[in-house]
PDB file of all heavy atoms in Angstrom:
ATOM      1  N   ASP A 518       0.837  -1.200   0.011  1.00 98.00           N
ATOM      2  CA  ASP A 518      -0.017  -0.004  -0.001  1.00 98.00           C
ATOM      3  C   ASP A 518       0.876   1.263  -0.022  1.00 98.00           C
ATOM      4  O   ASP A 518       0.624   2.186  -0.757  1.00 98.00           O
ATOM      5  CB  ASP A 518      -0.890   0.015   1.232  1.00 98.00           C
ATOM      6  CG  ASP A 518      -2.133  -0.867   1.097  1.00 98.00           C
ATOM      7  OD1 ASP A 518      -2.627  -1.021  -0.072  1.00 98.00           O
ATOM      8  OD2 ASP A 518      -2.604  -1.364   2.123  1.00 98.00           O
ATOM      9  N   VAL A 519       1.897   1.277   0.844  1.00 98.00           N
ATOM     10  CA  VAL A 519       2.797   2.427   0.953  1.00 98.00           C
ATOM     11  C   VAL A 519       3.513   2.626  -0.399  1.00 98.00           C
ATOM     12  O   VAL A 519       3.614   3.742  -0.889  1.00 98.00           O
ATOM     13  CB  VAL A 519       3.800   2.248   2.100  1.00 98.00           C
ATOM     14  CG1 VAL A 519       4.921   3.320   2.013  1.00 98.00           C
ATOM     15  CG2 VAL A 519       3.096   2.324   3.448  1.00 98.00           C
ATOM     16  N   LEU A 520       3.999   1.524  -0.947  1.00 97.00           N
ATOM     17  CA  LEU A 520       4.711   1.643  -2.246  1.00 97.00           C
ATOM     18  C   LEU A 520       3.827   2.151  -3.344  1.00 97.00           C
ATOM     19  O   LEU A 520       4.223   2.969  -4.164  1.00 97.00           O
ATOM     20  CB  LEU A 520       5.340   0.264  -2.590  1.00 97.00           C
ATOM     21  CG  LEU A 520       6.471  -0.193  -1.728  1.00 97.00           C
ATOM     22  CD1 LEU A 520       6.800  -1.674  -1.975  1.00 97.00           C
ATOM     23  CD2 LEU A 520       7.705   0.672  -1.930  1.00 97.00           C
ATOM     24  N   LEU A 521       2.590   1.666  -3.369  1.00 97.00           N
ATOM     25  CA  LEU A 521       1.640   2.124  -4.391  1.00 97.00           C
ATOM     26  C   LEU A 521       1.431   3.621  -4.278  1.00 97.00           C
ATOM     27  O   LEU A 521       1.494   4.370  -5.270  1.00 97.00           O
ATOM     28  CB  LEU A 521       0.306   1.378  -4.235  1.00 97.00           C
ATOM     29  CG  LEU A 521      -0.778   1.810  -5.212  1.00 97.00           C
ATOM     30  CD1 LEU A 521      -0.437   1.451  -6.697  1.00 97.00           C
ATOM     31  CD2 LEU A 521      -2.128   1.192  -4.777  1.00 97.00           C
ATOM     32  N   GLN A 522       1.219   4.096  -3.083  1.00 97.00           N
ATOM     33  CA  GLN A 522       0.961   5.524  -2.862  1.00 97.00           C
ATOM     34  C   GLN A 522       2.144   6.400  -3.222  1.00 97.00           C
ATOM     35  O   GLN A 522       2.006   7.557  -3.555  1.00 97.00           O
ATOM     36  CB  GLN A 522       0.513   5.797  -1.423  1.00 97.00           C
ATOM     37  CG  GLN A 522      -0.804   5.156  -1.056  1.00 97.00           C
ATOM     38  CD  GLN A 522      -1.923   5.421  -2.076  1.00 97.00           C
ATOM     39  OE1 GLN A 522      -2.106   6.518  -2.538  1.00 97.00           O
ATOM     40  NE2 GLN A 522      -2.637   4.360  -2.443  1.00 97.00           N
ATOM     41  N   ASN A 523       3.355   5.793  -3.119  1.00 97.00           N
ATOM     42  CA  ASN A 523       4.577   6.476  -3.455  1.00 97.00           C
ATOM     43  C   ASN A 523       5.094   6.208  -4.870  1.00 97.00           C
ATOM     44  O   ASN A 523       6.233   6.471  -5.177  1.00 97.00           O
ATOM     45  CB  ASN A 523       5.653   6.162  -2.409  1.00 97.00           C
ATOM     46  CG  ASN A 523       5.406   6.896  -1.123  1.00 97.00           C
ATOM     47  OD1 ASN A 523       5.603   8.102  -1.009  1.00 97.00           O
ATOM     48  ND2 ASN A 523       4.830   6.142  -0.138  1.00 97.00           N
ATOM     49  N   LYS A 524       4.162   5.696  -5.710  1.00 94.00           N
ATOM     50  CA  LYS A 524       4.415   5.483  -7.113  1.00 94.00           C
ATOM     51  C   LYS A 524       5.544   4.499  -7.384  1.00 94.00           C
ATOM     52  O   LYS A 524       6.253   4.608  -8.418  1.00 94.00           O
ATOM     53  CB  LYS A 524       4.650   6.784  -7.839  1.00 94.00           C
ATOM     54  CG  LYS A 524       3.446   7.741  -7.729  1.00 94.00           C
ATOM     55  CD  LYS A 524       3.699   9.067  -8.393  1.00 94.00           C
ATOM     56  CE  LYS A 524       2.500   9.963  -8.170  1.00 94.00           C
ATOM     57  NZ  LYS A 524       2.692  11.325  -8.549  1.00 94.00           N
ATOM     58  N   ARG A 525       5.734   3.561  -6.502  1.00 92.00           N
ATOM     59  CA  ARG A 525       6.743   2.516  -6.701  1.00 92.00           C
ATOM     60  C   ARG A 525       5.945   1.245  -7.109  1.00 92.00           C
ATOM     61  O   ARG A 525       5.837   0.256  -6.400  1.00 92.00           O
ATOM     62  CB  ARG A 525       7.497   2.291  -5.405  1.00 92.00           C
ATOM     63  CG  ARG A 525       8.158   3.547  -4.833  1.00 92.00           C
ATOM     64  CD  ARG A 525       9.132   4.150  -5.802  1.00 92.00           C
ATOM     65  NE  ARG A 525      10.345   3.361  -5.872  1.00 92.00           N
ATOM     66  CZ  ARG A 525      11.382   3.609  -6.638  1.00 92.00           C
ATOM     67  NH1 ARG A 525      11.349   4.667  -7.381  1.00 92.00           N
ATOM     68  NH2 ARG A 525      12.418   2.807  -6.621  1.00 92.00           N
ATOM     69  N   TYR A 526       5.343   1.364  -8.283  1.00 92.00           N
ATOM     70  CA  TYR A 526       4.371   0.359  -8.792  1.00 92.00           C
ATOM     71  C   TYR A 526       4.946  -1.062  -8.889  1.00 92.00           C
ATOM     72  O   TYR A 526       4.246  -2.013  -8.489  1.00 92.00           O
ATOM     73  CB  TYR A 526       3.761   0.793 -10.108  1.00 92.00           C
ATOM     74  CG  TYR A 526       3.191   2.189 -10.086  1.00 92.00           C
ATOM     75  CD1 TYR A 526       3.511   3.094 -11.057  1.00 92.00           C
ATOM     76  CD2 TYR A 526       2.387   2.610  -9.019  1.00 92.00           C
ATOM     77  CE1 TYR A 526       2.954   4.371 -11.043  1.00 92.00           C
ATOM     78  CE2 TYR A 526       1.848   3.905  -8.982  1.00 92.00           C
ATOM     79  CZ  TYR A 526       2.176   4.763  -9.987  1.00 92.00           C
ATOM     80  OH  TYR A 526       1.643   6.025  -9.977  1.00 92.00           O
ATOM     81  N   ILE A 527       6.122  -1.144  -9.427  1.00 89.00           N
ATOM     82  CA  ILE A 527       6.656  -2.496  -9.690  1.00 89.00           C
ATOM     83  C   ILE A 527       6.830  -3.242  -8.397  1.00 89.00           C
ATOM     84  O   ILE A 527       6.610  -4.467  -8.319  1.00 89.00           O
ATOM     85  CB  ILE A 527       7.945  -2.451 -10.552  1.00 89.00           C
ATOM     86  CG1 ILE A 527       8.217  -3.797 -11.101  1.00 89.00           C
ATOM     87  CG2 ILE A 527       9.086  -1.855  -9.790  1.00 89.00           C
ATOM     88  CD1 ILE A 527       9.197  -3.780 -12.249  1.00 89.00           C
ATOM     89  N   TYR A 528       7.285  -2.571  -7.335  1.00 91.00           N
ATOM     90  CA  TYR A 528       7.498  -3.271  -6.082  1.00 91.00           C
ATOM     91  C   TYR A 528       6.189  -3.506  -5.321  1.00 91.00           C
ATOM     92  O   TYR A 528       6.053  -4.445  -4.535  1.00 91.00           O
ATOM     93  CB  TYR A 528       8.534  -2.538  -5.249  1.00 91.00           C
ATOM     94  CG  TYR A 528       9.863  -2.695  -5.913  1.00 91.00           C
ATOM     95  CD1 TYR A 528      10.519  -1.663  -6.539  1.00 91.00           C
ATOM     96  CD2 TYR A 528      10.494  -3.975  -5.929  1.00 91.00           C
ATOM     97  CE1 TYR A 528      11.726  -1.831  -7.170  1.00 91.00           C
ATOM     98  CE2 TYR A 528      11.707  -4.172  -6.579  1.00 91.00           C
ATOM     99  CZ  TYR A 528      12.323  -3.087  -7.223  1.00 91.00           C
ATOM    100  OH  TYR A 528      13.527  -3.279  -7.867  1.00 91.00           O
ATOM    101  N   SER A 529       5.199  -2.671  -5.559  1.00 94.00           N
ATOM    102  CA  SER A 529       3.871  -2.923  -5.041  1.00 94.00           C
ATOM    103  C   SER A 529       3.325  -4.251  -5.653  1.00 94.00           C
ATOM    104  O   SER A 529       2.753  -5.097  -4.956  1.00 94.00           O
ATOM    105  CB  SER A 529       2.941  -1.779  -5.308  1.00 94.00           C
ATOM    106  OG  SER A 529       1.629  -2.058  -4.844  1.00 94.00           O
ATOM    107  N   VAL A 530       3.544  -4.428  -6.948  1.00 93.00           N
ATOM    108  CA  VAL A 530       3.119  -5.609  -7.650  1.00 93.00           C
ATOM    109  C   VAL A 530       3.929  -6.811  -7.150  1.00 93.00           C
ATOM    110  O   VAL A 530       3.399  -7.894  -6.889  1.00 93.00           O
ATOM    111  CB  VAL A 530       3.232  -5.432  -9.159  1.00 93.00           C
ATOM    112  CG1 VAL A 530       3.033  -6.798  -9.879  1.00 93.00           C
ATOM    113  CG2 VAL A 530       2.206  -4.429  -9.656  1.00 93.00           C
ATOM    114  N   PHE A 531       5.199  -6.620  -6.974  1.00 92.00           N
ATOM    115  CA  PHE A 531       6.071  -7.745  -6.461  1.00 92.00           C
ATOM    116  C   PHE A 531       5.521  -8.214  -5.146  1.00 92.00           C
ATOM    117  O   PHE A 531       5.422  -9.402  -4.928  1.00 92.00           O
ATOM    118  CB  PHE A 531       7.495  -7.171  -6.337  1.00 92.00           C
ATOM    119  CG  PHE A 531       8.472  -8.225  -5.787  1.00 92.00           C
ATOM    120  CD1 PHE A 531       9.041  -9.166  -6.604  1.00 92.00           C
ATOM    121  CD2 PHE A 531       8.824  -8.172  -4.440  1.00 92.00           C
ATOM    122  CE1 PHE A 531       9.924 -10.092  -6.107  1.00 92.00           C
ATOM    123  CE2 PHE A 531       9.713  -9.091  -3.923  1.00 92.00           C
ATOM    124  CZ  PHE A 531      10.300 -10.056  -4.738  1.00 92.00           C
ATOM    125  N   LEU A 532       5.195  -7.297  -4.248  1.00 95.00           N
ATOM    126  CA  LEU A 532       4.682  -7.677  -2.946  1.00 95.00           C
ATOM    127  C   LEU A 532       3.253  -8.270  -3.042  1.00 95.00           C
ATOM    128  O   LEU A 532       2.888  -9.101  -2.196  1.00 95.00           O
ATOM    129  CB  LEU A 532       4.695  -6.536  -1.995  1.00 95.00           C
ATOM    130  CG  LEU A 532       6.108  -6.178  -1.500  1.00 95.00           C
ATOM    131  CD1 LEU A 532       6.060  -4.968  -0.508  1.00 95.00           C
ATOM    132  CD2 LEU A 532       6.754  -7.352  -0.802  1.00 95.00           C
ATOM    133  N   SER A 533       2.512  -7.920  -4.082  1.00 97.00           N
ATOM    134  CA  SER A 533       1.237  -8.547  -4.272  1.00 97.00           C
ATOM    135  C   SER A 533       1.378 -10.031  -4.549  1.00 97.00           C
ATOM    136  O   SER A 533       0.591 -10.852  -4.055  1.00 97.00           O
ATOM    137  CB  SER A 533       0.489  -7.884  -5.482  1.00 97.00           C
ATOM    138  OG  SER A 533       0.183  -6.504  -5.189  1.00 97.00           O
ATOM    139  N   VAL A 534       2.395 -10.366  -5.320  1.00 96.00           N
ATOM    140  CA  VAL A 534       2.709 -11.779  -5.576  1.00 96.00           C
ATOM    141  C   VAL A 534       3.141 -12.453  -4.272  1.00 96.00           C
ATOM    142  O   VAL A 534       2.702 -13.541  -3.912  1.00 96.00           O
ATOM    143  CB  VAL A 534       3.746 -11.951  -6.661  1.00 96.00           C
ATOM    144  CG1 VAL A 534       4.138 -13.404  -6.882  1.00 96.00           C
ATOM    145  CG2 VAL A 534       3.307 -11.274  -7.960  1.00 96.00           C
ATOM    146  N   GLN A 535       4.017 -11.769  -3.540  1.00 96.00           N
ATOM    147  CA  GLN A 535       4.540 -12.317  -2.271  1.00 96.00           C
ATOM    148  C   GLN A 535       3.410 -12.557  -1.249  1.00 96.00           C
ATOM    149  O   GLN A 535       3.446 -13.510  -0.503  1.00 96.00           O
ATOM    150  CB  GLN A 535       5.567 -11.327  -1.656  1.00 96.00           C
ATOM    151  CG  GLN A 535       6.862 -11.258  -2.420  1.00 96.00           C
ATOM    152  CD  GLN A 535       7.662 -12.581  -2.212  1.00 96.00           C
ATOM    153  OE1 GLN A 535       8.178 -12.766  -1.138  1.00 96.00           O
ATOM    154  NE2 GLN A 535       7.638 -13.418  -3.213  1.00 96.00           N
ATOM    155  N   MET A 536       2.422 -11.654  -1.203  1.00 97.00           N
ATOM    156  CA  MET A 536       1.285 -11.782  -0.272  1.00 97.00           C
ATOM    157  C   MET A 536       0.576 -13.088  -0.516  1.00 97.00           C
ATOM    158  O   MET A 536       0.296 -13.825   0.463  1.00 97.00           O
ATOM    159  CB  MET A 536       0.316 -10.630  -0.490  1.00 97.00           C
ATOM    160  CG  MET A 536       0.840  -9.309  -0.066  1.00 97.00           C
ATOM    161  SD  MET A 536      -0.076  -7.886  -0.790  1.00 97.00           S
ATOM    162  CE  MET A 536      -1.717  -8.416  -0.977  1.00 97.00           C
ATOM    163  N   ILE A 537       0.277 -13.419  -1.785  1.00 98.00           N
ATOM    164  CA  ILE A 537      -0.425 -14.626  -2.087  1.00 98.00           C
ATOM    165  C   ILE A 537       0.447 -15.840  -1.773  1.00 98.00           C
ATOM    166  O   ILE A 537      -0.029 -16.856  -1.181  1.00 98.00           O
ATOM    167  CB  ILE A 537      -0.897 -14.632  -3.535  1.00 98.00           C
ATOM    168  CG1 ILE A 537      -1.906 -13.500  -3.761  1.00 98.00           C
ATOM    169  CG2 ILE A 537      -1.467 -15.985  -3.941  1.00 98.00           C
ATOM    170  CD1 ILE A 537      -2.280 -13.249  -5.222  1.00 98.00           C
ATOM    171  N   GLU A 538       1.713 -15.741  -2.065  1.00 97.00           N
ATOM    172  CA  GLU A 538       2.629 -16.854  -1.761  1.00 97.00           C
ATOM    173  C   GLU A 538       2.595 -17.119  -0.273  1.00 97.00           C
ATOM    174  O   GLU A 538       2.507 -18.291   0.186  1.00 97.00           O
ATOM    175  CB  GLU A 538       4.048 -16.507  -2.204  1.00 97.00           C
ATOM    176  CG  GLU A 538       5.028 -17.617  -1.914  1.00 97.00           C
ATOM    177  CD  GLU A 538       6.452 -17.259  -2.246  1.00 97.00           C
ATOM    178  OE1 GLU A 538       6.668 -16.452  -3.170  1.00 97.00           O
ATOM    179  OE2 GLU A 538       7.396 -17.810  -1.616  1.00 97.00           O
ATOM    180  N   LYS A 539       2.703 -16.104   0.555  1.00 97.00           N
ATOM    181  CA  LYS A 539       2.722 -16.272   2.021  1.00 97.00           C
ATOM    182  C   LYS A 539       1.379 -16.747   2.529  1.00 97.00           C
ATOM    183  O   LYS A 539       1.366 -17.582   3.484  1.00 97.00           O
ATOM    184  CB  LYS A 539       3.173 -14.978   2.676  1.00 97.00           C
ATOM    185  CG  LYS A 539       4.649 -14.746   2.374  1.00 97.00           C
ATOM    186  CD  LYS A 539       5.141 -13.376   2.848  1.00 97.00           C
ATOM    187  CE  LYS A 539       6.595 -13.182   2.432  1.00 97.00           C
ATOM    188  NZ  LYS A 539       7.057 -11.852   2.632  1.00 97.00           N
ATOM    189  N   ALA A 540       0.285 -16.371   1.931  1.00 98.00           N
ATOM    190  CA  ALA A 540      -1.026 -16.921   2.344  1.00 98.00           C
ATOM    191  C   ALA A 540      -1.077 -18.413   2.063  1.00 98.00           C
ATOM    192  O   ALA A 540      -1.533 -19.223   2.892  1.00 98.00           O
ATOM    193  CB  ALA A 540      -2.138 -16.165   1.665  1.00 98.00           C
ATOM    194  N   LEU A 541      -0.576 -18.809   0.868  1.00 98.00           N
ATOM    195  CA  LEU A 541      -0.562 -20.245   0.519  1.00 98.00           C
ATOM    196  C   LEU A 541       0.368 -20.984   1.490  1.00 98.00           C
ATOM    197  O   LEU A 541       0.019 -22.126   1.938  1.00 98.00           O
ATOM    198  CB  LEU A 541      -0.081 -20.410  -0.935  1.00 98.00           C
ATOM    199  CG  LEU A 541      -1.071 -20.006  -1.984  1.00 98.00           C
ATOM    200  CD1 LEU A 541      -0.383 -19.853  -3.359  1.00 98.00           C
ATOM    201  CD2 LEU A 541      -2.228 -20.966  -2.061  1.00 98.00           C
ATOM    202  N   LYS A 542       1.482 -20.440   1.831  1.00 97.00           N
ATOM    203  CA  LYS A 542       2.410 -21.139   2.719  1.00 97.00           C
ATOM    204  C   LYS A 542       1.886 -21.141   4.154  1.00 97.00           C
ATOM    205  O   LYS A 542       2.199 -22.096   4.907  1.00 97.00           O
ATOM    206  CB  LYS A 542       3.804 -20.481   2.613  1.00 97.00           C
ATOM    207  CG  LYS A 542       4.438 -20.857   1.258  1.00 97.00           C
ATOM    208  CD  LYS A 542       5.836 -20.310   1.117  1.00 97.00           C
ATOM    209  CE  LYS A 542       6.410 -20.768  -0.232  1.00 97.00           C
ATOM    210  NZ  LYS A 542       7.792 -20.353  -0.496  1.00 97.00           N
ATOM    211  N   ALA A 543       1.046 -20.181   4.532  1.00 97.00           N
ATOM    212  CA  ALA A 543       0.394 -20.267   5.826  1.00 97.00           C
ATOM    213  C   ALA A 543      -0.564 -21.457   5.854  1.00 97.00           C
ATOM    214  O   ALA A 543      -0.593 -22.205   6.858  1.00 97.00           O
ATOM    215  CB  ALA A 543      -0.362 -18.982   6.078  1.00 97.00           C
ATOM    216  N   ILE A 544      -1.295 -21.657   4.795  1.00 97.00           N
ATOM    217  CA  ILE A 544      -2.192 -22.816   4.703  1.00 97.00           C
ATOM    218  C   ILE A 544      -1.403 -24.093   4.779  1.00 97.00           C
ATOM    219  O   ILE A 544      -1.726 -25.029   5.500  1.00 97.00           O
ATOM    220  CB  ILE A 544      -3.094 -22.726   3.444  1.00 97.00           C
ATOM    221  CG1 ILE A 544      -4.030 -21.570   3.541  1.00 97.00           C
ATOM    222  CG2 ILE A 544      -3.836 -24.106   3.264  1.00 97.00           C
ATOM    223  CD1 ILE A 544      -4.744 -21.225   2.219  1.00 97.00           C
ATOM    224  N   TRP A 545      -0.283 -24.140   3.994  1.00 97.00           N
ATOM    225  CA  TRP A 545       0.560 -25.315   4.016  1.00 97.00           C
ATOM    226  C   TRP A 545       1.058 -25.594   5.452  1.00 97.00           C
ATOM    227  O   TRP A 545       1.001 -26.741   5.911  1.00 97.00           O
ATOM    228  CB  TRP A 545       1.788 -25.027   3.104  1.00 97.00           C
ATOM    229  CG  TRP A 545       2.655 -26.270   2.955  1.00 97.00           C
ATOM    230  CD1 TRP A 545       3.531 -26.777   3.904  1.00 97.00           C
ATOM    231  CD2 TRP A 545       2.758 -27.102   1.809  1.00 97.00           C
ATOM    232  NE1 TRP A 545       4.152 -27.890   3.412  1.00 97.00           N
ATOM    233  CE2 TRP A 545       3.687 -28.105   2.118  1.00 97.00           C
ATOM    234  CE3 TRP A 545       2.154 -27.143   0.589  1.00 97.00           C
ATOM    235  CZ2 TRP A 545       4.052 -29.095   1.232  1.00 97.00           C
ATOM    236  CZ3 TRP A 545       2.477 -28.105  -0.311  1.00 97.00           C
ATOM    237  CH2 TRP A 545       3.424 -29.087   0.026  1.00 97.00           C
ATOM    238  N   SER A 546       1.542 -24.568   6.091  1.00 96.00           N
ATOM    239  CA  SER A 546       2.052 -24.687   7.432  1.00 96.00           C
ATOM    240  C   SER A 546       0.994 -25.227   8.419  1.00 96.00           C
ATOM    241  O   SER A 546       1.312 -26.078   9.241  1.00 96.00           O
ATOM    242  CB  SER A 546       2.575 -23.323   7.934  1.00 96.00           C
ATOM    243  OG  SER A 546       3.048 -23.442   9.227  1.00 96.00           O
ATOM    244  N   GLU A 547      -0.207 -24.789   8.259  1.00 96.00           N
ATOM    245  CA  GLU A 547      -1.284 -25.186   9.142  1.00 96.00           C
ATOM    246  C   GLU A 547      -1.710 -26.666   8.882  1.00 96.00           C
ATOM    247  O   GLU A 547      -2.048 -27.379   9.801  1.00 96.00           O
ATOM    248  CB  GLU A 547      -2.504 -24.299   8.981  1.00 96.00           C
ATOM    249  CG  GLU A 547      -3.564 -24.482  10.049  1.00 96.00           C
ATOM    250  CD  GLU A 547      -3.152 -24.131  11.456  1.00 96.00           C
ATOM    251  OE1 GLU A 547      -2.127 -23.434  11.686  1.00 96.00           O
ATOM    252  OE2 GLU A 547      -3.836 -24.600  12.362  1.00 96.00           O
ATOM    253  N   GLU A 548      -1.671 -27.065   7.603  1.00 95.00           N
ATOM    254  CA  GLU A 548      -2.165 -28.377   7.248  1.00 95.00           C
ATOM    255  C   GLU A 548      -1.127 -29.495   7.234  1.00 95.00           C
ATOM    256  O   GLU A 548      -1.529 -30.667   7.241  1.00 95.00           O
ATOM    257  CB  GLU A 548      -2.804 -28.328   5.843  1.00 95.00           C
ATOM    258  CG  GLU A 548      -4.055 -27.450   5.828  1.00 95.00           C
ATOM    259  CD  GLU A 548      -4.653 -27.402   4.410  1.00 95.00           C
ATOM    260  OE1 GLU A 548      -4.042 -27.880   3.420  1.00 95.00           O
ATOM    261  OE2 GLU A 548      -5.782 -26.812   4.288  1.00 95.00           O
ATOM    262  N   ARG A 549       0.099 -29.130   7.162  1.00 94.00           N
ATOM    263  CA  ARG A 549       1.157 -30.109   6.973  1.00 94.00           C
ATOM    264  C   ARG A 549       2.196 -30.049   8.064  1.00 94.00           C
ATOM    265  O   ARG A 549       2.385 -29.034   8.700  1.00 94.00           O
ATOM    266  CB  ARG A 549       1.844 -29.951   5.600  1.00 94.00           C
ATOM    267  CG  ARG A 549       0.887 -29.678   4.452  1.00 94.00           C
ATOM    268  CD  ARG A 549       0.792 -30.823   3.532  1.00 94.00           C
ATOM    269  NE  ARG A 549      -0.342 -30.650   2.626  1.00 94.00           N
ATOM    270  CZ  ARG A 549      -0.220 -30.688   1.322  1.00 94.00           C
ATOM    271  NH1 ARG A 549       0.951 -30.796   0.755  1.00 94.00           N
ATOM    272  NH2 ARG A 549      -1.281 -30.587   0.580  1.00 94.00           N
ATOM    273  N   ALA A 550       2.890 -31.134   8.267  1.00 89.00           N
ATOM    274  CA  ALA A 550       3.907 -31.220   9.307  1.00 89.00           C
ATOM    275  C   ALA A 550       5.236 -30.646   8.893  1.00 89.00           C
ATOM    276  O   ALA A 550       6.002 -30.209   9.697  1.00 89.00           O
ATOM    277  CB  ALA A 550       4.086 -32.662   9.795  1.00 89.00           C
ATOM    278  N   HIS A 551       5.515 -30.666   7.588  1.00 89.00           N
ATOM    279  CA  HIS A 551       6.825 -30.170   7.099  1.00 89.00           C
ATOM    280  C   HIS A 551       6.714 -28.781   6.495  1.00 89.00           C
ATOM    281  O   HIS A 551       5.648 -28.305   6.123  1.00 89.00           O
ATOM    282  CB  HIS A 551       7.442 -31.167   6.131  1.00 89.00           C
ATOM    283  CG  HIS A 551       6.569 -31.492   4.920  1.00 89.00           C
ATOM    284  ND1 HIS A 551       5.465 -32.279   4.965  1.00 89.00           N
ATOM    285  CD2 HIS A 551       6.649 -31.038   3.639  1.00 89.00           C
ATOM    286  CE1 HIS A 551       4.892 -32.326   3.790  1.00 89.00           C
ATOM    287  NE2 HIS A 551       5.608 -31.595   2.956  1.00 89.00           N
ATOM    288  N   TYR A 552       7.870 -28.170   6.394  1.00 88.00           N
ATOM    289  CA  TYR A 552       7.936 -26.785   5.878  1.00 88.00           C
ATOM    290  C   TYR A 552       7.506 -26.716   4.419  1.00 88.00           C
ATOM    291  O   TYR A 552       7.716 -27.666   3.670  1.00 88.00           O
ATOM    292  CB  TYR A 552       9.470 -26.320   5.985  1.00 88.00           C
ATOM    293  CG  TYR A 552       9.574 -24.824   6.004  1.00 88.00           C
ATOM    294  CD1 TYR A 552       9.323 -24.104   7.135  1.00 88.00           C
ATOM    295  CD2 TYR A 552      10.043 -24.154   4.879  1.00 88.00           C
ATOM    296  CE1 TYR A 552       9.447 -22.735   7.153  1.00 88.00           C
ATOM    297  CE2 TYR A 552      10.213 -22.782   4.892  1.00 88.00           C
ATOM    298  CZ  TYR A 552       9.902 -22.068   6.038  1.00 88.00           C
ATOM    299  OH  TYR A 552      10.039 -20.693   6.032  1.00 88.00           O
ATOM    300  N   PRO A 553       6.878 -25.601   4.009  1.00 90.00           N
ATOM    301  CA  PRO A 553       6.417 -25.494   2.633  1.00 90.00           C
ATOM    302  C   PRO A 553       7.607 -25.589   1.648  1.00 90.00           C
ATOM    303  O   PRO A 553       8.751 -25.226   1.999  1.00 90.00           O
ATOM    304  CB  PRO A 553       5.831 -24.075   2.563  1.00 90.00           C
ATOM    305  CG  PRO A 553       5.664 -23.645   3.978  1.00 90.00           C
ATOM    306  CD  PRO A 553       6.580 -24.426   4.797  1.00 90.00           C
ATOM    307  N   PRO A 554       7.312 -25.996   0.401  1.00 89.00           N
ATOM    308  CA  PRO A 554       8.423 -26.040  -0.565  1.00 89.00           C
ATOM    309  C   PRO A 554       8.984 -24.691  -0.852  1.00 89.00           C
ATOM    310  O   PRO A 554       8.274 -23.670  -0.770  1.00 89.00           O
ATOM    311  CB  PRO A 554       7.705 -26.603  -1.842  1.00 89.00           C
ATOM    312  CG  PRO A 554       6.273 -26.623  -1.587  1.00 89.00           C
ATOM    313  CD  PRO A 554       6.006 -26.367  -0.128  1.00 89.00           C
ATOM    314  N   ARG A 555      10.243 -24.663  -1.167  1.00 90.00           N
ATOM    315  CA  ARG A 555      10.931 -23.391  -1.502  1.00 90.00           C
ATOM    316  C   ARG A 555      10.624 -23.041  -2.942  1.00 90.00           C
ATOM    317  O   ARG A 555      11.512 -23.036  -3.811  1.00 90.00           O
ATOM    318  CB  ARG A 555      12.402 -23.515  -1.243  1.00 90.00           C
ATOM    319  CG  ARG A 555      12.675 -23.735   0.234  1.00 90.00           C
ATOM    320  CD  ARG A 555      14.141 -23.465   0.532  1.00 90.00           C
ATOM    321  NE  ARG A 555      14.438 -23.816   1.896  1.00 90.00           N
ATOM    322  CZ  ARG A 555      14.268 -23.018   2.960  1.00 90.00           C
ATOM    323  NH1 ARG A 555      13.751 -21.814   2.781  1.00 90.00           N
ATOM    324  NH2 ARG A 555      14.536 -23.405   4.184  1.00 90.00           N
ATOM    325  N   SER A 556       9.346 -22.756  -3.180  1.00 89.00           N
ATOM    326  CA  SER A 556       8.898 -22.400  -4.523  1.00 89.00           C
ATOM    327  C   SER A 556       8.127 -21.073  -4.460  1.00 89.00           C
ATOM    328  O   SER A 556       7.493 -20.816  -3.462  1.00 89.00           O
ATOM    329  CB  SER A 556       7.952 -23.460  -5.054  1.00 89.00           C
ATOM    330  OG  SER A 556       7.386 -23.080  -6.282  1.00 89.00           O
TER     331      SER A 556
END
């Protein structure tokens, strides 16, 4: 959000991808015994 407001669009988009990745890895972490894949 801060990056978007400061016209740092590419890094706002980069973090948009990261947000979804981390949400998926949170689900992985909750459902599985081992660490999420490094993907």
Side-chain angles (χ1 to χ4, degrees):
D518 281 329
V519 170
L520 291 168
L521 177 67
Q522 296 310 316
N523 285 284
K524 300 178 182 170
R525 306 300 287 180
Y526 307 133
I527 196 163
Y528 290 108
S529 179
V530 169
F531 178 81
L532 287 178
S533 295
V534 177
Q535 289 289 285
M536 292 160 31
I537 296 171
E538 179 184 334
K539 290 172 184 170
L541 288 165
K542 290 183 176 180
I544 294 169
W545 185 287
S546 179
E547 190 65 18
E548 293 180 353
R549 315 252 168 123
H551 57 286
Y552 202 76
R555 296 195 185 275
S556 173

